[in-house]
Amino acid sequence: MEFTTLKNGVRMPLEGFGVFQVPDAALCEQSVTYALSAGYRLIDTAAAYFNEAAVGAAIRKSGIPREELFITTKLWIQDQGYAHAKQAFEASMENLGLDYLDLYLIHQPLGDYYGSWRAMEELYKAGRIRVIGVCNFYPERLVDLCLNVEIPPMVNQVELHPFFQQTKALDTMREFSVQPEAWGPLAEGNHGIFTHKLLTDIGRKYGKTAAQTALRWNTQRGVVIIPKSTHPERMSENLDIWDFTLADEDMSAISALDLGHSEIIDHSTAQTAKYLNSWKIHD
Ligand code: NAP
């Protein structure tokens, strides 16, 4: 495992484990238990995934010292705004059974996220959160936030994989020292990624699978990855990427796979803003 050092000096693992679309508590707890025993130390959940308590249970049962873990959760749109964000943070901490959090992310660039950010800055200064960041902030929103807050975000979690590479967005993040983190690093299984010919052919040269090749490519461009799986053998496969280095020619060949758009969600549309705002996670 390798680490990246964030602009506030915190070390963040370059690979973690995501638990989106695992709302079943028993399955989530079992998956996180497997992931921790496989060697993952960064776990990525969210209030909107309805599995923070299961993640917390797996953490407690693992017996792994708290300081070795890097736990992320996220603030949903319904809880945006200064007062709501503080309440939502405490609710997440209670669900997780933690007294401090490693990374708290604004889940979507919608609603009163400036109010939320002020609450997160206070929690950060009080030592309740080690790192604060955002998700799905495309360049104009990210730059605006960075320029108008006291403590700019340290991480931006966005969709990043060989079919949606976002090189210009990464340039903007680097300009503002914001660490990019990839959600959907396996394209959520779209575009035939696991049997993709180029990724398979490149991987074969190193004795690796297409999935491992795609994950390694992202980390080699400095991106943190958080692949999700409920299958132990896939968790191990996805973690087994730290003993090889893709040659420059292979990095370039993968760069040519970029479609330039997402096949999963388009954050720039009115329809997406309406849909995400309509999604409620509590009464
Ligand atoms: P992903 O990690 O790109 O892909 C997960 C899919 O790939 C699952 O269907 C999984 O199936 C399959 N898979 C994983 N490893 C495999 C392998 N080695 N071989 C074959 N199939 C494999 O997608 P994701 O879960 O959407 O993204 C990862 C994490 O990012 C999430 O879990 C979540 O924590 C975070 N996320 C954040 C946002 C956001 O807005 N901030 C959005 C989406 C996701 P099985 O589970 O059946 O193995």
Side-chain angles (χ1 to χ4, degrees):
M1 177 59 64
E2 291 173 19
F3 291 79
T4 179
T5 302
L6 305 174
K7 65 180 153 193
N8 65 345
V10 169
R11 268 162 47 96
M12 179 178 187
L14 266 175
E15 181 165 14
F17 182 72
V19 294
F20 180 40
Q21 292 172 331
V22 197
D24 179 81
L27 180 61
C28 181
E29 185 180 329
Q30 186 187 61
S31 299
V32 175
T33 298
Y34 280 136
L36 291 171
S37 63
Y40 290 89
R41 290 294 178 266
L42 185 167
I43 307 295
D44 182 274
T45 182
Y49 299 170
F50 304 107
N51 56 20
E52 291 173 311
V55 169
I59 290 170
R60 275 190 301 286
K61 287 181 189 163
S62 75
I64 296 170
R66 175 67 185 89
E67 63 275 15
E68 286 181 24
L69 299 169
F70 192 99
I71 308 303
T72 302
T73 194
K74 313 186 189 85
L75 176 74
W76 187 244
I77 304 163
Q78 192 185 354
D79 294 319
Q80 297 278 33
Y82 179 83
H84 287 150
K86 284 214 164 165
Q87 282 168 13
F89 172 75
E90 296 304 342
S92 285
M93 297 302 282
E94 199 173 317
N95 284 335
L96 285 161
L98 299 177
D99 54 7
Y100 75 89
L101 186 68
D102 296 282
L103 173 59
Y104 201 35
L105 297 171
I106 289 182
H107 205 149
Q108 301 290 347
L110 299 167
D112 179 14
Y113 57 79
Y114 275 94
S116 303
W117 194 258
R118 286 198 306 279
M120 288 164 63
E121 286 175 328
E122 284 184 13
L123 291 162
Y124 173 76
K125 285 187 203 167
R128 302 290 309 284
I129 311 173
R130 296 173 71 219
V131 181
I132 49 178
V134 294
C135 303
N136 302 306
F137 272 53
Y138 286 89
E140 75 290 355
R141 293 210 176 201
L142 181 70
V143 170
D144 186 61
L145 185 68
C146 287
L147 294 176
N148 288 291
V149 292
E150 184 189 340
I151 305 173
M154 296 145 198
V155 172
N156 187 18
Q157 185 183 104
V158 298
E159 182 186 348
L160 293 167
H161 50 74
F163 310 116
F164 189 34
Q165 304 188 4
Q166 304 214 57
T167 44
K168 283 189 183 155
L170 292 190
D171 289 344
T172 304
M173 290 185 221
R174 287 198 187 97
E175 183 187 341
F176 286 84
S177 302
V178 177
Q179 171 63 47
E181 182 175 30
W183 68 252
L186 295 168
E188 295 192 346
N190 288 308
H191 217 85
I193 188 166
F194 301 117
T195 52
H196 190 276
K197 186 168 179 345
L198 179 74
L199 295 173
T200 304
D201 287 348
I202 291 176
R204 194 175 292 122
K205 293 201 264 178
Y206 304 90
K208 298 291 175 183
T209 63
Q212 290 169 322
T213 305
L215 295 174
R216 179 72 205 181
W217 166 82
N218 239 338
T219 63
Q220 268 183 232
R221 44 180 214 152
V223 171
V224 172
I225 51 167
I226 45 170
K228 169 262 176 186
S229 178
T230 51
H231 295 87
E233 67 284 2
R234 292 179 179 172
M235 294 177 201
S236 299
E237 175 187 339
N238 296 343
L239 199 55
D240 184 19
I241 61 164
W242 299 103
D243 61 351
F244 76 114
T245 303
L246 291 166
D248 290 348
E249 69 199 36
D250 295 326
M251 292 294 287
S252 306
I254 296 169
S255 297
L257 297 179
D258 191 18
L259 299 172
H261 64 269
S262 171
E263 294 182 307
I264 299 171
I265 187 167
D266 181 353
H267 274 89
S268 71
T269 70
Q271 200 182 3
T272 298
K274 280 189 215 165
Y275 165 71
L276 291 173
N277 266 290
S278 72
W279 215 55
K280 305 295 177 200
I281 64 168
H282 56 72
D283 292 337

